[in-house]
Amino acid sequence: MTERVPVLLSSSSVFPEPTAAAFQMAAHLGFDGVEVMVWTDVVSQDAGALQGLAAHYGVPVMSVHAPCLLVTQRVWSPDPWERLRRAAILAEKLGAPNVVVHPPFTWQRDYAKRFQEGLHKMTLKHPGLTFAVENMYPVKMAGRDFVPYVPGWNPVETGYDAYTLDISHCAAARTDPIAMAASMGDKLAHLHLGDGSGEGRDEHLVPGRGNMPCAEVLAGLSKSGFRGSVALEVATRKSSSRAEREADLAESLRFAREHLGVLTSH
């Protein structure tokens, strides 16, 4: 018996179309599920609405991305712990096993001070969930690199129970995603698939259109017996039509499945 690694469509990949469009496209193109990016679209925050979409289109929610972006700092609450708590409750209601979370911003001093301990406590309180901390990247300000995260952009250096590897973020940080995956080891629970040019920008390109070793990362996951999920996180906001957006997403899905192959069940 074989079991393939599930490939999810992140709702961020259909932006500027709304969250509901992600379910429609995921069903149409044959994705295994959806990762819901919780943001200002009220549907992304509503368990009942998301359950209805999942049932209508026959596509489960398999990952929830907590509202950690700059533009989502007021979603649900200005308190980052409350936002994470509500993301966990949302994931539980949807039956999604994974919650993606970013390291704290530098200005979130109290949150940052207790983040490692608090995240571990959150894991104990929600034992059915994996809180997978995502690797980030420095940003350029006045021609210099600035790291807006505490204690840094690389969560492995701090140490957490689980990680999300984002290949596009590796490109922005000018770091090797294969080495990053190796450093995460068996704590690698989730992958954000998107390519990058390696020029220090977060681009979220269709895999295969940049310079990052996306195929090698996917093949490595398959060979290692990876038991997590892969979420396609690409930028399609410049697409001129729904057809062009769907073509990019379909190409990305084919790429992911081709290089993941299948896993042997135990």
Side-chain angles (χ1 to χ4, degrees):
M1 179 181 178
T2 58
E3 178 186 347
R4 69 187 183 194
V5 174
V7 182
L8 320 180
L9 177 61
S10 168
S11 58
S12 66
S13 295
V14 307
F15 183 83
E17 293 196 57
T19 302
F23 287 85
Q24 183 182 16
M25 284 186 254
H28 175 64
L29 298 173
F31 281 83
D32 298 303
V34 167
E35 173 172 303
V36 172
M37 170 73 79
V38 180
W39 67 298
T40 54
D41 178 358
V42 293
V43 170
S44 73
Q45 307 168 26
D46 188 317
L50 294 168
Q51 287 169 333
L53 287 166
H56 178 74
Y57 289 107
V59 180
V61 177
M62 299 179 69
S63 180
V64 169
H65 195 309
C68 306
L69 305 177
L70 282 174
V71 296
T72 60
Q73 294 299 292
R74 297 287 172 177
V75 168
W76 283 332
S77 168
D79 177 4
W81 285 119
E82 176 63 12
R83 292 199 299 272
L84 186 55
R85 185 188 73 83
R86 292 185 65 168
I89 292 171
L90 180 65
E92 287 177 332
K93 287 181 177 178
L94 297 170
N98 189 63
V99 175
V100 177
V101 59
H102 291 179
F105 286 116
T106 53
W107 57 85
Q108 296 174 316
R109 294 181 183 177
D110 291 339
Y111 180 56
K113 190 181 298 184
R114 298 184 293 119
F115 185 67
Q116 188 176 23
E117 178 188 358
L119 197 61
H120 182 67
K121 288 181 178 178
M122 189 82 71
T123 301
L124 295 176
K125 190 172 182 179
H126 303 275
L129 299 179
T130 298
F131 294 86
V133 184
E134 186 172 0
N135 62 294
M136 301 306 292
Y137 53 91
V139 297
K140 282 207 173 291
M141 292 185 66
R144 301 179 65 180
D145 280 345
F146 166 69
V147 179
Y149 304 98
V150 178
W153 61 265
N154 182 357
V156 180
E157 294 179 353
T158 301
Y160 297 101
D161 295 333
Y163 302 106
T164 293
L165 172 63
D166 188 303
I167 299 177
S168 179
H169 291 179
C170 286
R174 296 186 174 91
T175 192
D176 178 8
I178 297 175
M180 178 69 75
S183 70
M184 291 176 173
D186 60 6
K187 292 183 177 180
L188 174 55
H190 191 56
L191 177 78
H192 279 165
L193 178 60
D195 214 332
S197 65
E199 309 237 338
R201 299 191 307 274
D202 184 26
E203 298 165 289
H204 289 283
L205 303 176
V206 169
R209 296 186 188 176
N211 300 325
M212 302 304 285
C214 295
E216 292 83 352
V217 171
L218 293 171
L221 292 182
S222 186
K223 290 175 184 175
S224 70
F226 179 65
R227 284 321 219 214
S229 53
V230 171
L232 178 68
E233 199 175 73
V234 297
T236 65
R237 60 184 176 276
K238 294 183 180 178
S239 298
S240 60
S241 65
R242 165 67 73 90
E244 183 180 345
R245 175 169 288 115
E246 287 194 348
D248 283 349
L249 298 179
E251 178 184 332
S252 300
L253 178 59
R254 286 193 298 271
F255 183 100
R257 290 220 172 113
E258 175 186 353
H259 295 290
L260 278 170
V262 296
L263 297 177
T264 302
S265 295
H266 299 290

